[in-house]
Amino acid sequence: MGTSDLKLLSTPSSPFALRVKIALNIKGLDYDNIVETMNPKSDLLLQSNPVYKKIPVLIHGDKSISESAIIVEYIDEVWKNNGTPILPSNAYDRAIARFWVAYIDDKWYNSSKNLLVAQNDESKKACFEQVEEVLLRLEDVLNKYSEGKDFFGGENIGFLDICFGSYLSWLRVTEKVIGKKVLDETKTPALVKWAEAFVAHPAVKGNLPETDKLLVFAKSLVQRMVAAATPK
């Protein structure tokens, strides 16, 4: 463990931990990345997040902050003079960004997870339609709020970019698992272009988990989830 005042409890596969890493990079902050095995959960994790007992957790001095979206907002507020702003300065625009982040963490997370574990053609078709619905809605959101720039946040990566972009590696894994494109240039051209800009951004580049390694983890995870859902 290093000597930084900032410590991040994370796992390499977590899109939620990735959000925090990107926010820290945008602000140019040094931190110690402490990789959690989660099995068993470390004493540090249990002490830092006794309610949910999950990552990510940002430890700032003697303070612990949990939940990825909350951590990103904390970073943006505490280090507001570092790097570029993550949340909009206007209260209404901040509210809109928070709304769509909550939408992503509900609709996108659940529909994409269901698609990964779907076990028959009918279920896969229904789940894929749900995923497409979310992407089409986000395509509209991007076109509306980007003002023709690269990101949801305009010229710079913002709150919504970070929170949706953190799922991109898992999106690629889903495509490999189901053998079908999820992010399709014919249906969501703006999102395809956005994804290319996002992964190339200096705060993101080199931090996304490798698809092949994530695929191995995902297959194991899907097996456990299917087994848990199967009646005994």
Side-chain angles (χ1 to χ4, degrees):
M1 188 181 296
T3 58
S4 175
D5 191 44
L6 285 172
K7 296 176 175 58
L8 174 62
L9 308 189
S10 71
T11 63
S13 62
S14 170
F16 305 105
L18 178 59
R19 293 176 173 181
V20 181
K21 292 177 182 178
I22 294 170
L24 290 166
N25 290 342
I26 287 172
K27 296 298 182 177
L29 300 171
D30 293 325
Y31 65 97
D32 292 332
N33 184 46
I34 302 172
V35 177
E36 282 286 333
T37 63
M38 303 301 291
N39 187 24
K41 295 178 180 179
S42 72
D43 289 340
L44 181 59
L45 174 58
L46 297 175
Q47 292 164 8
S48 304
N49 189 0
V51 176
Y52 290 116
K53 303 178 178 64
K54 63 183 183 180
I55 55 93
V57 178
L58 182 70
I59 302 174
H60 182 200
D62 60 355
K63 299 182 288 289
S64 299
I65 307 96
S66 304
E67 297 297 293
S68 62
I70 294 172
I71 297 172
V72 171
E73 289 204 46
Y74 177 85
I75 291 169
D76 192 41
E77 185 172 346
V78 173
W79 291 280
K80 60 185 177 182
N81 295 323
N82 289 48
T84 57
I86 294 173
L87 274 85
S89 57
N90 178 276
Y92 175 76
D93 292 340
R94 285 198 303 275
I96 293 299
R98 288 171 178 140
F99 173 86
W100 286 113
V101 166
Y103 173 84
I104 288 166
D105 282 347
D106 176 17
K107 299 296 184 181
W108 173 260
Y109 177 79
N110 287 309
S111 60
S112 59
K113 182 181 73 173
N114 291 339
L115 180 58
L116 267 178
V117 301
Q119 293 299 294
N120 57 65
D121 290 342
E122 186 178 347
S123 295
K124 288 178 182 177
K125 182 175 182 294
C127 292
F128 190 82
E129 288 174 353
Q130 292 173 3
V131 165
E132 278 195 319
E133 180 184 343
V134 175
L135 288 175
L136 289 171
R137 193 174 293 278
L138 289 175
E139 176 86 355
D140 290 341
V141 173
L142 177 59
N143 285 326
K144 181 177 181 180
Y145 292 108
S146 68
E147 297 181 343
K149 305 296 195 307
D150 284 339
F151 304 109
F152 286 94
E155 292 184 353
N156 299 310
I157 284 182
F159 192 38
L160 188 47
D161 299 285
I162 293 171
C163 290
F164 185 49
S166 65
Y167 288 116
L168 278 177
S169 290
W170 277 99
L171 186 151
R172 301 305 183 199
V173 165
T174 301
E175 290 179 332
K176 283 184 173 289
V177 170
I178 68 173
K180 188 175 182 179
K181 260 205 171 310
V182 175
L183 203 57
D184 188 342
E185 190 169 18
T186 62
K187 295 178 180 178
T188 54
L191 280 178
V192 170
K193 185 179 177 182
W194 163 82
E196 292 171 353
F198 181 83
V199 300
H201 191 280
V204 179
K205 194 173 183 179
N207 286 285
L208 296 177
E210 294 178 26
T211 303
D212 289 342
K213 289 183 179 179
L214 195 57
L215 180 61
V216 173
F217 173 78
K219 288 180 176 178
S220 173
L221 180 63
V222 168
Q223 287 176 351
R224 295 198 301 270
M225 292 170 67
V226 171
T230 303
K232 299 295 189 289

